């Protein structure tokens, strides 16, 4: 596009129904801890976020098919009749996908009797006329018929852009004649019959020569070989029907109003609650930025640098309260990690003991050996090993939050403390900068 063209605002139209199917069959059968299959929701959500973040459209809408017959079914009862019923694992995810779109505050278009393709085609034409550069997000070759200098196709799965040149390369004709080729060759995906015996290459050759199906049938006596001529004469009505079925309607009952399709901020609380329910931890991290100093939940932390400070901290702790224990490690992972310090907390009182933790440990040692306090640790084994390396022991009883999370969510792969805190508390944990490698999670 030229510089002048690049100043046009952008309208992205996403073929929602198509990407539900693509996500379901492309990704393994992911499940959350409650047994809900979530692969289609996950794939669909990542596609939406990719579009919004990487392309930053001015306007955006997601189009979905509605249940029930369409205008094409009225004309041809066998339209899409060969398709199997939607798998149960997919159908249970559809409501969650609609909730994701709603939480992201993205407009939805759907209309009884019309397919998503027709709604997209109509909005694309109206958006172009309103001065927008339109991007149709789909992997469907049928959409190539809509291409113009200001309407393009983008497939985020393949990261592939298609314009008029790509259409000519794919079908050998300009976008307006794609339906002519499809009318002859048919489309097995939608059960569009075409002319039986004529394949894609022959269809492309005939339309390149005659321009349209009607012109081809008018001049059918010029067609060679005789076998193709006979097929066209015998199946002329099928060719015309198939062309109509393949044509995307651009006058569907939907209207493009720029303000209604303008990108808006998501409904943050609704979105984070839904991502937690689905247990999409990585997506939750990506949509929930690290807290700033203004909104970080904080408690007063005492830095213990001498024995009197250690004695005072221990003396002021609530009697018998559980004690959170966390080591700060740096350098190599596992057994070779260097202990940089230790954090202790009862929730109300928190202390950090930096560097040489053995210099003033007598009050702290008694605290760690207190059998009346449950020691709450994330990855107890790693903590005990770290203590052993600096000559400390940690007495029972213990609660290992990593094991607890595994018992509650055995299907989840990520049991890091950061993940649990984000999912259960809505807090993103942030570590300080280290001179060597970042601290290892225990």
């Amino acid at each position: 596009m030229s510089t002048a063209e690049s100043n046009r605002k952008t309208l992205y139209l996403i073929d929602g129904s198509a990407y539900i199917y693509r996500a379901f069959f492309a990704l393994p059968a992911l499940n959350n801890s409650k047994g809900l299959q979530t692969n289609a929701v996950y794939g669909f959500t990542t596609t939406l976020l990719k579009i919004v973040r990487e392309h930053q459209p001015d306007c955006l809408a997601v189009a979905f098919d509605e249940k029930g017959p369409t205008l094409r079914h009225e004309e041809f009862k066998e339209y899409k009749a060969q398709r199997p019923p939607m798998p149960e694992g997919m159908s249970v995810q559809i409501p969650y996908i609609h909730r994701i779109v709603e939480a992201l505050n993205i407009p939805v278009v759907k209309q009884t009797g019309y397919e998503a393709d027709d709604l997209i085609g109509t909005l694309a034409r109206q958006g172009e006329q309103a001065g927008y550069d339109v991007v149709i997000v789909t992997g469907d070759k049928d959409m190539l018929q809509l291409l113009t200098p200001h309407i393009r196709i983008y497939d985020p799965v393949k990261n592939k852009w298609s314009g008029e040149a790509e259409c000519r390369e794919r079908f050998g004709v300009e976008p307006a004649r794609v339906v002519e080729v499809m009318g002859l060759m048919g489309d097995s995906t939608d059960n569009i019959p075409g002319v039986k015996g004529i394949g894609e290459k022959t269809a492309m050759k005939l339309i390149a020569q005659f321009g349209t199906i009607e012109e081809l049938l008018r001049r059918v006596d010029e067609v060679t070989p005789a076998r193709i001529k006979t097929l066209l004469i015998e199946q002329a009505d099928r060719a015309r029907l198939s062309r109509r079925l393949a044509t995307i309607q651009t006058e569907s009952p939907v209207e493009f109003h720029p303000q209604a399709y303008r990108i808006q901020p998501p409904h943050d609380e609704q979105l984070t609650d839904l991502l937690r329910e689905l247990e999409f931890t990585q997506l939750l991290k990506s949509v929930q930025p690290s807290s700033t100093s203004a909104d970080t939940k904080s408690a007063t932390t005492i830095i213990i640098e001498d024995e009197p400070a250690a004695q005072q901290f221990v003396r002021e702790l609530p009697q018998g309260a559980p004690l959170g224990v966390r080591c700060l490690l740096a350098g190599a992972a596992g057994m070779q990690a260097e202990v940089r310090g230790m954090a202790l907390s009862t929730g109300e009182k928190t202390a950090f003991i930096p560097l040489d933790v053995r210099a003033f440990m007598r009050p702290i040692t008694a605290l760690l050996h207190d059998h009346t306090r449950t020691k709450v640790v994330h990855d107890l084994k790693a903590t005990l090993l770290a203590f052993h390396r600096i000559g400390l022991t940690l007495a029972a009883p213990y609660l290992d939050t990593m094991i607890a999370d595994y018992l509650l969510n055995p299907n989840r792969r990520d049991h890091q403390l950061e993940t649990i805190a984000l999912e259960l508390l809505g807090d993103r944990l942030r570590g300080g900068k280290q001179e060597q490698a970042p601290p290892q999670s225990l």
Side-chain angles (χ1 to χ4, degrees), residues 1 52 57 68 125 130 160 210 231 319 321 346 390 407 423 440:
M1 293 185 180
V52 172
R125 290 283 187 256
K160 178 183 178 181
F210 293 96
L231 291 174
Q319 190 67 30
T346 61
I390 59 175
L407 293 173
E423 182 175 303
Q440 304 296 323

Side-chain angles (χ1 to χ4, degrees), residues 71 88 150 187 259 341 358 392:
L71 299 177
E88 182 179 354
H150 293 292
D187 186 355
Q259 197 58 40
R358 291 164 291 186
L392 293 177

